[in-house]
Amino acid sequence: VQLQASGGGLVQAGGSLRLSCAASGRFFSIDNMGWYRQAPGKQRELVAGISSGGSSTNYADSVKGRFTISRDNAKNTMYLQMTSLKPEDTGTYYCNAAVRGITTIRTYWGQGTQVTVSS
């Protein structure tokens, strides 16, 4: 199973970006998914999470009202729509997914996509 994150880039403060995370490989289904970020010199933190069906979401206080997490299970893809970006949103964004096989469930990480917000 592989998670491929994309959509990062350089944007000015106040701008928007949309991140994608596509899962590929052989698996039965994908449970909870999430986006994490890590700024230089800081620990990785949860930005947003979404349940298997997409009906339940949660956000870090710092991004509430600005970021929206969603998923398309038919495409095995998760998204993070980021608006009103701030310089403090800068970091490497990683996607995470709990993936079910026939008898197991494992957590996978994507390779990360860089988001840089200039002031």
Side-chain angles (χ1 to χ4, degrees):
V1 176
Q2 288 189 328
L3 298 181
Q4 181 70 42
S6 61
L10 173 63
V11 64
Q12 288 188 332
S16 300
L17 283 173
R18 188 193 196 205
L19 306 184
S20 298
C21 174
S24 61
R26 301 183 69 176
F27 51 86
F28 183 70
S29 64
I30 303 176
D31 281 6
N32 294 345
M33 303 182 77
W35 287 99
Y36 290 73
R37 69 184 177 194
Q38 187 166 20
K42 295 188 176 181
Q43 289 190 332
R44 191 174 297 188
E45 62 174 352
L46 175 67
V47 174
I50 188 166
S51 60
S52 57
S55 60
S56 179
T57 59
N58 60 284
Y59 297 91
D61 288 343
S62 59
V63 306
K64 282 181 180 177
R66 299 188 297 121
F67 291 11
T68 302
I69 189 171
S70 62
R71 63 192 289 174
D72 184 339
N73 287 340
K75 296 181 179 180
N76 294 320
T77 301
M78 173 180 63
Y79 306 97
L80 186 67
Q81 179 67 49
M82 306 186 293
T83 63
S84 301
L85 282 161
K86 303 176 181 180
E88 50 264 44
D89 294 318
T90 294
T92 302
Y93 283 68
Y94 299 90
C95 57
N96 170 280
V99 181
R100 287 186 178 272
I102 299 299
T103 59
T104 62
I105 182 166
R106 285 187 58 185
T107 297
Y108 292 87
W109 290 91
Q111 85 286 6
T113 184
Q114 179 66 35
V115 172
T116 303
V117 184
S118 63
S119 57

